[in-house]
């Protein structure tokens, strides 16, 4: 099977640099998403907030077409090697999306076979290149019925290199 197009979309964006109150607030939300810690009042996990927000604003999202066809959702593996009971936020987001009627099912078929330094914490010249990310995943299971569409789900995209 050959991929003919690769489209992407994002619910939120932020800048990792700067000192304004808005930038600090965006970093706080980013940290809450990365740790799946409760947000605001009433308390809600970020993974659930993301799914509910996507569902609420689906008609106006520029990438709504990615979701209306009920694709299989595949969480993007972390840059590190997964250990049992490791928090895997993309998996939580994908499961919350399906629980909210978005996507057909979650298939956690990818893992990281070789650890890759995190882009977000690496100095610019030391960040792993896209090819390194492409070379390091492993397929854990095959999707039983090949779908028309697969949607990769990630939490925070720094440069996009980790999404193969």
């Amino acid at each position: 099977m050959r991929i003919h197009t690769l489209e992407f979309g994002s619910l939120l964006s932020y800048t990792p640099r700067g000192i304004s109150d808005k930038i600090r607030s965006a970093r706080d939300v980013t940290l809450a998403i990365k740790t799946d810690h409760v947000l605001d009042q009433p308390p809600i996990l970020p993974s659930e907030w993301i799914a509910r927000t996507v569902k609420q604003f689906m008609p106006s999202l520029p990438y709504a077409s990615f979701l209306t066809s009920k694709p299989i959702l595949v969480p993007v593996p972390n840059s590190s090697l997964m250990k049992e009971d490791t928090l895997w936020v993309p998996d939580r987001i994908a499961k919350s999306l399906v629980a909210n009627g978005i996507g057909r099912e979650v298939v956690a078929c990818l893992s990281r076979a070789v650890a890759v330094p995190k882009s977000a914490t690496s100095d610019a010249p030391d960040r792993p290149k896209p090819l390194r990310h492409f070379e390091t995943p492993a397929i854990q299971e095959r999707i039983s019925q090949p779908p028309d569409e697969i949607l990769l789900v990630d939490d925070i995209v720094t440069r996009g290199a980790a999404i193969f």
Side-chain angles (χ1 to χ4, degrees):
M1 181 160 111
R2 179 173 227 139
I3 296 175
H4 298 283
T5 61
L6 183 62
E7 300 176 65
F8 66 95
S10 177
L11 178 63
L12 304 168
S13 64
Y14 83 107
T15 179
R17 294 180 180 76
I19 56 172
S20 75
D21 288 342
K22 284 185 179 183
I23 290 173
R24 275 195 285 271
S25 178
R27 275 194 292 246
D28 291 345
V29 170
T30 299
L31 180 60
I33 291 170
K34 289 299 267 183
T35 58
D36 208 23
H37 278 113
V38 174
L39 293 170
D40 278 328
Q41 293 297 327
I44 186 170
L45 290 173
S47 52
E48 182 63 22
W49 177 86
I50 289 168
R52 289 181 188 179
T53 302
V54 167
K55 184 175 183 175
Q56 178 182 357
F57 293 102
M58 181 89 81
S60 63
L61 294 174
Y63 51 86
S65 63
F66 299 175
L67 306 168
T68 55
S69 64
K70 293 283 191 181
I72 288 194
L73 306 183
V74 176
V76 173
N78 294 336
S79 59
S80 60
L81 302 180
M82 295 287 285
K83 296 180 180 133
E84 196 171 328
D85 297 327
T86 298
L87 174 64
W88 188 11
V89 176
D91 185 59
R92 286 192 181 190
I93 293 170
K95 287 176 178 173
S96 291
L97 287 166
V98 169
N100 280 273
I102 301 165
R104 183 180 346 157
E105 66 178 310
V106 177
V107 179
C109 58
L110 298 176
S111 68
R112 187 71 59 192
V114 177
V116 176
K118 291 179 73 106
S119 292
T121 57
S122 298
D123 290 333
D126 301 326
R127 286 187 186 128
K129 304 292 183 245
L131 181 59
R132 184 69 181 141
H133 285 283
F134 180 77
E135 294 170 336
T136 59
I139 296 173
Q140 294 301 305
E141 66 178 274
R142 300 229 180 249
I143 298 172
S144 58
Q145 291 282 11
D148 291 332
E149 294 182 343
I150 294 173
L151 181 66
L152 298 176
V153 177
D154 206 352
D155 53 2
I156 304 295
V157 177
T158 304
R159 294 180 355 156
I163 304 182
F164 319 119

